[in-house]
């Protein structure tokens, strides 16, 4: 079985992630142990062996809808967003914000199938005259700090972790924030019991200590239906 939480598995979160998974196994004794994600996450997400993972809203509506079940969406308590929703922050070098109206800047983004890194800035017209694909949100922030790009779209939760863990984050500033959209949902294969997973995962989140919930910035689950994800438009290809 495939079981992982790949999206925010930064080093400072790994111990808390493992305790969350142990709590899930306490509520579902048949739950498998953590597995290592494939290089291509889409392979894992589409596998009939998928037990639990977390995906992004854009790959869900572009490729996974009808192929997987939504379990639930985490409540990360993102400021100024409803429960279960998040936004992206547009980052520039401190004191060097480009002219956003002119759109004459280099935009760093993690990948084309990213709601927060690619679709969100497109939705507010920040396309960039040129673009730099970096492979990850932290890499996009680093590209701006190093002068290889002028602007980066990073989801608000990643930015929270960067400001917590990265001593150079103070060299960046937020120059725009995108509208809120449903955050990254937990998913399972069509043959799994999504309702049982939802209840066990909720109980696991509530049973780990407050410190672990704050570390992971996960405080509860929200049930957001598929239509809330599917109503968002697919962005143009970079």
């Amino acid at each position: 079985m495939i079981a992982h939480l790949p999206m925010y598995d930064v080093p400072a979160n790994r111990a808390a992630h493992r305790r969350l998974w142990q709590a899930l196994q306490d509520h579902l004794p048949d739950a498998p142990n953590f597995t290592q994600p494939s290089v291509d996450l889409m392979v894992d997400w589409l596998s009939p062996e998928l037990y639990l993972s977390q995906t992004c809203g854009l790959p869900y509506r572009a490729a996974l809808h009808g192929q997987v079940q939504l379990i639930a969406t985490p409540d990360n308590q993102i400021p100024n967003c409803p429960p279960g929703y998040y936004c992206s922050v547009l980052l520039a070098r401190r004191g060097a914000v480009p002219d956003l109206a002119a759109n004459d800047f280099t935009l760093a983004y993690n990948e084309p199938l990213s709601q927060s890194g690619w679709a969100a800035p497109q939705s507010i017209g920040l396309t960039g005259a040129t673009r730099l694909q970096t492979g990850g949100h932290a890499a996009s922030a680093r590209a701006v700090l190093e002068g290889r790009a002028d602007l980066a779209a990073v989801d608000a939760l990643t930015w929270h972790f960067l400001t917590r863990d990265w001593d150079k984050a103070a060299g960046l500033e937020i120059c725009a924030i995108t509208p809120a959209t449903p955050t990254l949902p937990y998913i399972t294969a069509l043959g799994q019991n999504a309702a049982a997973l939802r209840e066990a995962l909720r109980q696991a989140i509530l049973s780990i200590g407050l410190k672990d919930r704050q570390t992971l910035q996960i405080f509860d689950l929200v049930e957001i239906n598929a239509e809330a994800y599917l109503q968002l438009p697919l962005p143009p290809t970079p």
Side-chain angles (χ1 to χ4, degrees), residues 1-6 9 18 21 32-38 44 49-52:
M1 301 300 290
I2 297 168
H4 47 51
L5 297 172
D9 194 28
R18 298 311 183 267
W21 197 260
N33 291 327
F34 250 18
T35 57
Q36 288 297 314
S38 299
D44 287 354
E49 295 298 307
L50 179 66
Y51 185 80
L52 188 149

Side-chain angles (χ1 to χ4, degrees), residues 62-149:
L64 298 176
H65 175 60
Q67 308 299 315
V68 299
Q69 297 181 82
L70 292 176
I71 297 172
T73 300
D75 178 11
N76 302 125
Q77 294 188 0
I78 302 298
N80 302 312
C81 293
Y85 281 65
Y86 77 147
C87 60
S88 295
V89 296
L90 280 297
L91 302 174
R93 287 184 300 284
R94 187 165 296 280
V97 176
D99 183 350
L100 301 184
N103 214 35
D104 186 19
F105 53 79
T106 296
L107 173 70
Y109 68 99
N110 55 335
E111 62 165 308
L113 266 184
S114 171
Q115 171 61 34
S116 53
W118 177 250
Q122 303 305 300
S123 72
I124 58 172
L126 297 179
T127 59
T130 56
R131 295 138 194 161
L132 174 67
Q133 184 174 339
T134 65
H137 283 308
S140 295
R142 193 173 301 112
V144 172
L145 189 66
E146 294 172 353
R148 293 181 286 118

Side-chain angles (χ1 to χ4, degrees), residues 24 28 52 69-73 186 188 193-205 220-224:
L24 176 69
L28 283 177
L52 188 149
Q69 297 181 82
L70 292 176
I71 297 172
T73 300
Y186 298 115
T188 189
N193 187 333
L197 276 166
R198 182 184 309 117
E199 182 57 27
L201 185 56
R202 173 175 282 116
Q203 293 304 318
I205 291 167
D220 203 345
L221 293 181
V222 180
E223 293 185 46
I224 297 177

Side-chain angles (χ1 to χ4, degrees), residues 87-91 116 152-156 158-160 174-178:
C87 60
S88 295
V89 296
L90 280 297
L91 302 174
S116 53
V154 173
D155 78 82
T158 294
W159 179 235
H160 167 80
I174 297 173
C175 57
I177 298 176
T178 66

